[in-house]
Amino acid sequence: MLDHGSAAVYCIPDGRRSRRGKIIVTRGAADHLTARQLELVLRHERVHLAARHDRLVQRSLALAEALPLLPFFGVAHQEIADLAEMHADDGIGTEDGPELASALLQLAVMTPSRVPSGALAATGGATLARARRLVQPQPPLRRMTTGLIVAAIVGTSAAPALLTAYSGGESGFTHACCSRPALFS
């Protein structure tokens, strides 16, 4: 418990190989959340520690900072951080989703507090979108839909290589723009 008036709950991992760490709760957060909300937020933080989300988030941040001219890595870092938060939210049962959403929104609108570098906060990521997701969870995709999505991704990824291999042989696959007239007959 950190004796501070601002509202924050976050975790700081212990060491590189440990799945343990410290969960910090400020006095402001403890005073404004119900006992049930605080319990759910603490479970959220324990999921972060158990899943080692800090490693994913820190590595993506390192890439984003090392390659600032490639905006992809900055976007990827933000998406990875948001997904880590959603994964920690998913560690809470569906029946407790609305209560966790309420706690997250309360923490987000109370006096915001900066958390230390490397810490993962309960209000990290897109809090409003996460709260909406917790209150109105979407049913999981059916196996057929998942299979079609995977097939589309694999097909799209493999298409350039397949076209190159197919057009490189004596298959007759040519286009008028690619044919060259003989220089010497």
Side-chain angles (χ1 to χ4, degrees):
M1 180 71 70
L2 185 63
D3 191 17
H4 198 276
S6 66
V9 180
Y10 56 92
C11 63
I12 301 173
D14 280 348
R16 291 181 172 259
R17 300 185 194 274
S18 174
R19 292 182 182 268
R20 293 176 292 159
K22 306 270 186 285
I23 298 175
I24 310 301
V25 179
T26 63
R27 176 67 55 204
D31 289 345
H32 287 88
L33 296 177
T34 67
R36 180 72 179 140
Q37 288 173 329
L38 185 57
E39 175 191 336
L40 293 172
V41 171
L42 290 174
R43 281 177 37 201
H44 168 98
E45 296 303 323
R46 286 186 196 106
V47 172
H48 278 313
L49 292 171
R52 296 302 317 260
H53 288 153
D54 59 295
R55 291 172 25 180
L56 292 170
V57 174
Q58 289 301 317
R59 288 175 182 164
S60 67
L61 177 61
L63 278 172
E65 289 177 349
L67 303 167
L69 297 177
L70 299 174
F72 165 80
F73 291 105
V75 172
H77 166 66
Q78 187 57 54
E79 293 301 319
I80 287 170
D82 289 347
L83 287 171
E85 291 299 333
M86 286 185 223
H87 183 257
D89 293 343
D90 290 345
I92 309 304
T94 313
E95 66 281 353
D96 292 322
E99 190 73 19
L100 177 61
S102 175
L104 294 176
L105 291 173
Q106 283 186 35
L107 286 171
V109 298
M110 289 188 296
T111 311
S113 175
R114 294 184 52 93
V115 298
S117 176
L120 295 170
T123 54
T127 306
L128 187 57
R130 289 173 45 215
R132 186 177 306 122
R133 183 176 173 269
L134 287 164
V135 172
Q136 298 173 335
Q138 299 297 313
L141 294 176
R142 295 186 344 216
R143 284 184 179 212
M144 174 74 107
T145 305
T146 303
L148 289 172
I149 291 171
V150 169
I153 291 169
V154 170
T156 304
S157 301
L162 291 173
L163 286 173
T164 302
Y166 180 71
S167 65
E170 295 294 324
S171 63
F173 181 74
T174 59
H175 189 273
C177 73
C178 300
S179 61
R180 293 185 190 162
L183 293 176
F184 302 104
S185 300

